[in-house]
Amino acid sequence: MNASYLTILIAEDSPSDRMLLSTIVARQGHRVLSASDGLEAVALFESQRPQLVLMDALMPVMDGFEAARRIKAMAGDAMVPIIFLTSLSEDEALVRCLEAGGDDFLAKPYSRVILEAKINAMDRLRRLHQEVLQQRDQIARHNEYLLNEQQVAKAVFDKVAHSGCLGAGNIRYLQSPYALFNGDLLLAAFHPSGDMHVLLGDFTGHGLPAAIGAMPLADVFYRMTGKGHSLAEILHESNAKLRRILPRGVFCCATVLNISFRRQTVEFWGGGLPDGYILRKDGERLPLVSRHLPLGVLEPDRFHDGYEAHPLALGDRVFLLSDGVLEARNEHEQLFGEQRLLDVLDNGHPPAALFDEIQQALQRFHGEARDDVSLVEVTMVEDSAVNRPPLSQGEWRAGPEQWSARFDFRGRTLRDFYPLPYLLQLLLEVPGLRGQGGNLYSVLCELYTNALEHGVLGLDSGLKRDATGFSNYYRQRAERLDTLLDGCVSIGFETRREASGGRLTLTVEDSGAGFDAEAMLSHPHAAQGFSGRGMSLVRELSDQCSWSPDGRRVSVEFSWPAEA
């Protein structure tokens, strides 16, 4: 097969040889440029840019070696094959031709057949090189476009993912992405009750494919936490959304926490991530075992939201990690593993040095990062030390100021439905109450929880005097709630305008046996362990509160000033 028509430069100081070569090349259909020395050849190449050069090695003015070097330099990335015309036979002379940029040789005397074959071969090589350059440029353009897209997406993702309270003083974290996008997701946000929700997730894979579910998950987490939904509701909605939108085989291993600073408790749900740990300030280490499948795996009706609750004393820490730590490998393909991590955790390092010690242990192990790495530590602190932003008040608009409502929640509704987020949104429609969302929710949550747990379920708060009783309390709570068929909790609201502004009266009543409210209120120091704090909280956050003689009904009031 003949080569395509080319412009070929022939540099030969012998007029007869130059004429012979020009005739052979022209008869093959190529355009010919002729030069009698190397300097003339360089000038012709610069002005005409031929696709191939036949170069005599030994010429006057400038020899073929120097001319070849200059032509290759001017050609740049483009491939311009140079076939040396030479009668040289010594190995050293031929090596000089190659070092000067030569691609092939044609020995004298010239053979038409061999010359044609070499031109065809060099042309194929030239076109292949040209195609490679075009593909390289195309890949570079696509890569630049992809990087720009990823940078924009990452900027949006970072704003969404980090819009919570990761900057709170009691949170420390470390994230080391394997790719531009971190497949690990760390979210933290304050609940209207003042609790803190924390989610550590690890999506399947790395980079952008791994982060594809991060934004919808972050949206569910922040939106539902901000509105006051329970941990179980957030888990259900997160699983359902990821199951609906993610492709098959993509899911999110996750650990979700609810840290209550007022109650000094942590609620833990684990699905697929390595075990977390409660690190007691006295050195005790309590594992938080992942017992569920990852988010996005199960159909909504098969998803399990069961979580465990543990008491936390001031200074206790909750430590979570992604599997990138345990799966780091050394040069012998050994895993860093759980035991090496536990050795660091049990080594008695000061809390502030923990992350540094883990990083140093990984470096000593010569671990090669093959996954995204995330560490997070949340410390139990005094409730007053937590700096919470005010609840979002939304658009400031007119709302109802004089109205009343009553809600009765019975039987299975108490078991399957958590009404507080919806009731809070209703109350925040009242303009004067919009600045009290946190206190409203905290009081409403305390009263509803007491009515459900102690009134309807008949649980003994005294069980929570120690860690063992605390666990037993929440085990009984789950068992009784699962079998609940009867009982009622009623919640009533009445708002009214007053000369000084407005007032909300909130009442909560249950169908239980009641309790001696006066005896409880007359012994403020009766609270022991992790129980008995709720009534004090209600009195602290409201204008006034009172219990009915049988202890089954409580009435709480909030007021607000008239607008200027």
Side-chain angles (χ1 to χ4, degrees):
M1 178 179 178
N2 290 332
S4 58
Y5 294 142
L6 306 172
T7 298
I8 298 178
L9 170 61
I10 300 173
E12 169 63 70
D13 65 331
S14 169
S16 59
D17 286 348
R18 190 165 63 249
M19 178 65 71
L20 173 62
L21 290 169
S22 298
T23 302
I24 294 173
V25 171
R27 286 180 178 177
Q28 293 177 10
H30 303 300
R31 175 176 173 240
V32 177
L33 302 174
S34 296
S36 58
D37 58 58
L39 189 60
E40 187 181 353
V42 172
L44 275 172
F45 180 84
E46 186 175 15
S47 62
Q48 300 294 321
R49 293 287 172 168
Q51 287 91 37
L52 190 145
V53 178
L54 302 178
M55 179 77 71
D56 188 12
L58 304 176
M59 292 184 294
V61 184
M62 180 186 290
D63 63 26
F65 304 118
E66 179 62 23
R69 280 191 287 269
R70 295 194 182 188
I71 287 173
K72 286 291 186 179
M74 285 190 288
D77 287 342
M79 181 178 183
V80 179
I82 297 178
I83 300 175
F84 269 98
L85 310 169
T86 180
S87 57
L88 300 174
S89 58
E90 297 85 358
D91 291 346
E92 183 177 347
L94 297 177
V95 168
R96 284 187 65 197
C97 294
L98 294 176
E99 289 177 345
D103 299 288
D104 203 350
F105 305 98
L106 182 64
K108 298 178 181 181
Y110 305 127
S111 165
R112 180 188 61 80
V113 175
I114 293 177
L115 176 58
E116 183 176 0
K118 286 182 179 290
I119 290 174
N120 288 340
M122 287 296 105
D123 185 46
R124 288 195 299 271
L125 185 61
R126 182 189 65 83
R127 284 186 280 126
L128 178 61
H129 182 77
Q130 189 177 40
E131 184 178 347
V132 169
L133 289 182
Q134 291 174 348
Q135 292 175 347
R136 179 205 65 182
D137 293 342
Q138 186 178 22
I139 291 172
R141 288 193 298 271
H142 281 299
N143 185 60
E144 182 181 5
Y145 182 73
L146 177 61
L147 287 176
N148 287 337
E149 281 192 331
Q150 287 191 346
Q151 292 289 357
V152 171
K154 185 177 186 300
V156 175
F157 170 76
D158 287 345
K159 287 184 178 180
V160 172
H162 297 157
S163 61
C165 62
L166 286 176
N170 68 317
I171 296 181
R172 295 179 64 228
Y173 66 95
L174 167 70
Q175 288 194 290
S176 177
Y178 183 75
L180 175 64
F181 267 95
N182 198 339
D184 290 353
L185 180 67
L186 178 58
L187 308 172
F190 284 115
H191 194 268
S193 64
D195 295 354
M196 176 186 285
H197 284 178
V198 179
L199 183 149
L200 177 62
D202 181 3
F203 282 87
T204 312
H206 311 289
L208 185 56
I212 198 169
M215 292 186 68
L217 179 56
D219 174 67
V220 170
F221 177 86
Y222 286 130
R223 175 171 47 83
M224 295 188 70
T225 297
K227 289 185 176 181
H229 288 271
S230 67
L231 197 65
E233 290 178 306
I234 295 172
L235 287 167
H236 271 283
E237 180 63 20
S238 298
N239 176 77
K241 188 158 192 174
L242 293 183
R243 174 68 180 177
R244 185 170 64 250
I245 68 174
L246 293 181
R248 185 176 298 275
V250 179
F251 49 81
C252 181
C253 299
T255 295
V256 185
L257 304 177
N258 176 40
I259 306 284
S260 175
F261 301 98
R262 290 183 176 131
R263 295 174 178 270
Q264 294 188 5
T265 62
V266 57
E267 295 168 348
F268 165 85
W269 182 94
L273 278 184
D275 294 349
Y277 299 93
I278 293 177
L279 306 176
R280 304 288 188 194
K281 61 181 178 180
D282 61 5
E284 179 188 1
R285 171 172 47 80
L286 176 67
L288 298 173
V289 181
S290 178
R291 306 181 190 277
H292 301 279
L293 290 175
L295 298 173
V297 172
L298 295 174
E299 293 291 344
D301 58 350
R302 297 176 56 204
F303 180 75
H304 300 287
D305 60 17
Y307 56 85
E308 57 191 73
H310 300 276
L312 289 179
L314 295 177
D316 288 350
R317 296 168 290 149
V318 181
F319 177 78
L320 308 176
L321 69 155
S322 65
D323 56 12
V325 176
L326 305 184
E327 294 180 359
R329 296 177 183 268
N330 62 11
E331 64 272 17
H332 304 297
E333 291 297 309
Q334 296 173 321
L335 293 175
F336 183 78
E338 183 180 24
Q339 188 55 52
R340 288 184 177 87
L341 174 66
L342 295 182
D343 290 342
V344 177
L345 296 180
D346 295 339
N347 210 14
H349 299 294
L354 179 60
F355 283 12
D356 292 336
E357 292 297 329
I358 293 175
Q359 287 181 292
Q360 292 174 16
L362 286 169
Q363 291 171 358
R364 289 192 297 269
F365 181 68
H366 299 297
E368 177 186 352
R370 301 192 178 184
D371 198 356
D372 303 306
V373 172
S374 293
L375 305 171
V376 59
E377 178 186 83
V378 186
T379 303
M380 173 55 65
V381 296
E382 291 279 4
D383 182 62
S384 58
V386 181
N387 183 21
R388 303 179 181 90
L391 288 181
S392 174
Q393 299 177 3
E395 182 181 356
W396 195 264
R397 62 189 185 279
E401 294 183 330
Q402 295 195 119
W403 57 277
S404 63
R406 177 185 173 93
F407 301 87
D408 296 327
F409 302 102
R410 304 176 185 276
R412 294 182 60 181
T413 299
L414 290 172
R415 184 186 70 187
D416 301 329
F417 179 67
Y418 186 65
L420 268 60
Y422 309 97
L423 299 180
L424 179 65
Q425 294 304 310
L426 182 62
L427 289 174
L428 293 184
E429 290 293 315
V430 180
L433 291 174
R434 287 171 185 160
Q436 303 188 51
N439 289 348
L440 279 171
Y441 191 96
S442 296
V443 169
L444 189 57
C445 179
E446 190 65 43
L447 297 181
Y448 178 79
T449 300
N450 286 341
L452 175 63
E453 294 181 358
H454 307 314
V456 175
L457 300 181
L459 291 167
D460 179 9
S461 182
L463 285 173
K464 296 189 284 184
R465 288 190 177 93
D466 55 36
T468 301
F470 189 92
S471 299
N472 188 35
Y473 177 91
Y474 278 94
R475 179 183 57 78
Q476 290 187 28
R477 182 186 188 279
E479 291 173 352
R480 296 185 187 186
L481 202 57
D482 283 343
T483 58
L484 181 64
L485 297 176
D486 199 4
C488 177
V489 174
S490 299
I491 301 177
F493 305 124
E494 181 183 359
T495 65
R496 59 186 182 275
R497 297 190 65 177
E498 298 179 342
S500 59
R503 183 169 298 274
L504 164 70
T505 302
L506 164 65
T507 59
V508 179
E509 185 175 1
D510 65 73
S511 59
F515 68 99
D516 189 345
E518 290 298 328
M520 178 69 74
L521 292 171
S522 63
H523 295 84
H525 301 294
Q528 299 183 40
F530 300 94
S531 66
R533 302 171 181 172
M535 298 177 75
S536 298
L537 176 67
V538 171
R539 299 180 76 175
E540 175 188 342
L541 297 180
S542 60
D543 292 342
Q544 56 180 309
C545 62
S546 61
W547 276 262
S548 62
D550 60 6
R552 294 174 50 213
R553 183 176 183 273
V554 59
S555 177
V556 178
E557 292 190 357
F558 291 87
S559 63
W560 63 91
E563 292 185 24

